[in-house]
Amino acid sequence: MSLERLSAEAVNESSLEALEHRHRYEAVRRFCAGRRILDLCCGVGYGSAIVAAEARSVLGVDLSRDAIDEAERTFGHLDGVSFACGDAVEWLEDADRMRDVDVLLCFEGVEHIAEKERLLDALVAVAGSGTTVIFSVPNSRRYEEDNAFHLNNFDREAVDRWAARFATPAEIWEQWHAQGSYIGREPAPATPPAPLLAPVPAEARPHGWATHYLVLVNADTAEADESARMSWAVEPVNARWLESLRRANRELWRTNARLADTDMRPRGTYAAAAASVIDRWKSRALAAEKQVRATAHAAASYEEIRNRQAVKAALTTAKHIRRMRDRVGL
């Protein structure tokens, strides 16, 4: 299993990435009430802490010793919460360990495990014993994600195939990023946020385009709390990020045009002047590329899905400017 996780500090930030990670655990808390929970691929343990408020006990397991050490430091003091280092598939295949588990949670862990067929067989076996199994995967194949940490990629069709393997009918929940508008008075300090629940029409959720999928087996979802299915992050991050991307794109296009113009100037008489201009615009091209890379990285942590076309445009522009730099010998 490869390593990719949020730190305990990052998961508490007011960012879309942190929100979507927390939201998965918040949405399934009701299934954990009074039960013994195994939080597989728990990372630094923030999800174990969330469901611990309802659960009888929670055991978080992760392959990374560093992650488990951080989980124990941050959340090990909570009643009924413990952590252990171990391999996910081997843990699932250990009947003695799984005998004490009522609910298995595995959020954003499946795509990191190389032995996916062995993992699926283990999940099916655990569910076959009556244990509630809930896991999530990103819709990475649909969105053509290039993530070195992901050893498996999923889309809705792949999720449907996995769900069909369980003897008990599995329910599939979709997780979406929602864009919206908020109007209200400026809140007073320490004012708790008002509950928000907006209807989402079916046409706003086209089949196969959710950002993540949750698969629930042996879970009584008939009385699922709808309010738990929507969580909000009201932050001006999106506007700031888009403006940063627009500025980086404008600078790249300007630099591209100037480099192209300089490269087409005649040689000989203008050689010295051209060399000076080229050096100046080379520096600006490097600075512009650095800004695009930083912006693309920010996109991966915030608006990786909704603004994917804008990111691809920026990266395409970066490739173009690199070709122009090659022409002038950078």
Side-chain angles (χ1 to χ4, degrees):
M1 176 175 171
S2 57
L3 301 180
E4 180 194 26
R5 58 180 177 269
L6 290 179
S7 67
E9 293 78 13
V11 80
N12 288 314
E13 294 177 354
S14 295
S15 68
L16 186 58
E17 182 183 23
L19 174 69
E20 73 169 28
H21 280 73
R22 296 193 306 265
H23 192 192
R24 285 187 279 271
Y25 285 95
E26 293 285 358
V28 302
R29 278 177 55 173
R30 65 176 301 275
F31 303 116
C32 301
R35 307 177 78 184
R36 299 167 297 179
I37 313 302
L38 172 61
D39 184 15
L40 203 59
C41 306
C42 69
V44 298
Y46 61 88
S48 301
I50 290 173
V51 299
E54 306 285 345
R56 173 182 168 186
S57 64
V58 183
L59 172 61
V61 174
D62 199 277
L63 183 63
S64 169
R65 181 73 259 175
D66 290 341
I68 291 301
D69 288 345
E70 183 174 352
E72 289 176 337
R73 287 193 302 270
T74 310
F75 305 111
H77 65 282
L78 298 176
D79 290 341
V81 176
S82 59
F83 298 97
C85 191
D87 179 85
V89 178
E90 292 178 359
W91 204 282
L92 289 173
E93 292 175 337
D94 190 326
D96 290 335
R97 285 171 167 168
M98 295 307 300
R99 191 174 293 113
D100 297 327
V101 175
D102 300 316
V103 178
L104 165 65
L105 304 178
C106 184
F107 290 153
E108 303 306 285
V110 169
E111 66 273 17
H112 296 276
I113 298 174
E115 299 176 287
K116 64 177 183 179
E117 288 301 322
R118 182 181 168 195
L119 170 63
L120 178 55
D121 288 343
L123 290 172
V124 170
V126 169
S129 68
T131 300
T132 297
V133 173
I134 305 175
F135 63 91
S136 73
V137 294
N139 194 4
S140 53
R141 185 178 296 163
R142 165 66 74 180
Y143 287 103
E144 300 179 0
E145 291 183 14
D146 182 15
N147 189 325
F149 294 102
H150 290 182
L151 305 180
N152 299 298
N153 287 300
F154 289 84
D155 54 17
R156 178 57 193 255
E157 289 71 26
V159 172
D160 286 341
R161 288 194 296 271
W162 274 49
R165 288 280 300 275
F166 292 90
T168 303
E171 182 167 342
I172 299 174
W173 286 2
E174 298 178 338
Q175 184 174 20
W176 291 80
H177 293 166
Q179 183 176 5
S181 174
Y182 172 77
I183 298 176
R185 295 187 180 92
E186 181 178 2
T191 300
L196 299 173
L197 182 61
V200 183
E203 58 269 22
R205 296 176 291 165
H207 179 78
W209 287 94
T211 61
H212 294 77
Y213 295 104
L214 280 71
V215 178
L216 300 89
V217 187
N218 299 329
D220 181 9
T221 61
E223 299 179 1
D225 182 4
E226 286 294 329
S227 65
R229 297 202 189 185
M230 183 167 288
S231 190
W232 298 76
V234 181
E235 284 286 309
V237 175
N238 185 47
R240 290 198 300 266
W241 178 82
L242 285 175
E243 180 58 27
S244 176
L245 183 60
R246 282 193 291 265
R247 289 178 181 177
N249 263 322
R250 286 197 298 267
E251 181 62 24
L252 274 174
W253 281 112
R254 285 196 297 266
T255 303
N256 178 37
R258 288 161 180 159
L259 277 173
D261 179 66
T262 300
D263 192 46
M264 290 185 290
R265 291 182 181 180
R267 304 299 178 186
T269 304
Y270 298 101
S276 176
V277 173
I278 288 173
D279 287 342
R280 185 166 65 251
W281 289 112
K282 281 178 180 178
S283 297
R284 295 197 179 187
L286 289 172
E289 274 199 288
K290 182 178 180 180
Q291 177 62 37
V292 167
R293 286 194 297 270
T295 304
H297 178 73
S301 65
Y302 179 71
E303 287 288 329
E304 182 179 4
I305 305 303
R306 186 156 51 85
N307 293 300
R308 182 170 297 279
Q309 290 181 341
V311 174
K312 286 185 176 180
L315 294 177
T316 299
T317 305
K319 291 179 181 178
H320 187 55
I321 198 65
R322 282 197 292 273
R323 288 197 295 268
M324 296 305 300
R325 287 168 46 212
D326 292 340
R327 293 175 59 185
V328 296
L330 181 60

